Amino acid sequence: MTFDALATTYDDDFTHSPIAQYLRRRVHSRLDRHFQRCDNILELGCGTGEDALHLAERGMHVTATDASPSMLEIAAHKTAHTQRVTTRQLDLDQLPSVTPVYDGVFSNFGAINVLPKWRPLAKWLKDRVKPGGIVAFGVMSRVCLWEIAWHSAHGDFKTAFRRSRGTAAFRPAVTATPIPIYYPTIQQLDEAFAPHFSRIHVEPLGFFLPPSDAYGVIEKRPQLLAKLLALESKFGRSPLFANFADHYWIEYKHQ
């Protein structure tokens, strides 16, 4: 699988990064608003299981899914002590016809960006989320001002504006097969999830903070990092910035 190439170093390269940890805490604060102890939650694209671990330690039962067997292996090991996480392989391009009904569903850090269309996912979820249940996604945005400014300053205009075309190729390793990544706007997701879901919340994730390929440069400069984190904490939740951040966090309620 394409993302297997990232699995063994993913936590060191991303999960343990101070910027990623800050953004993940933001996501957890949103999940904690909606999901309760003993809820049954479905996670799409669980990666190495950090979010599933958070929910399981709060008493929830999580079905953590991913297309990558290597990611699932790490997630299963990381969450085994909780006995509340079940890992399953699931490809978002090949959604199963029979699954349980869940209290809520979520996906973090761009897992649904592998989909070229989102209406099939919405149609699938409407039969798998209880009425009143929450579906929430962390989505890579179509326009990331930080990415544009950073790569333009380094003369790499192809990378700077790669998202603006709506799709770009991602190669996790030199030997890996590149896969297409798609960048839906908030309006596109709203249209895809109507009429069965209504949007109840959206906020930027990483408007003042850089995308992951610049984490290392910023984190080596503690004073700059502290200033950016302060700006993100004070102003970085405004919905006005959501379409221009690295990611946006969007929540829907099942009608």
Side-chain angles (χ1 to χ4, degrees), residues 33-49:
R33 286 172 176 256
H34 298 298
F35 302 153
Q36 308 296 322
R37 185 176 181 84
C38 296
D39 278 356
N40 288 303
I41 307 300
L42 174 64
E43 180 178 9
L44 304 175
C46 68
T48 60

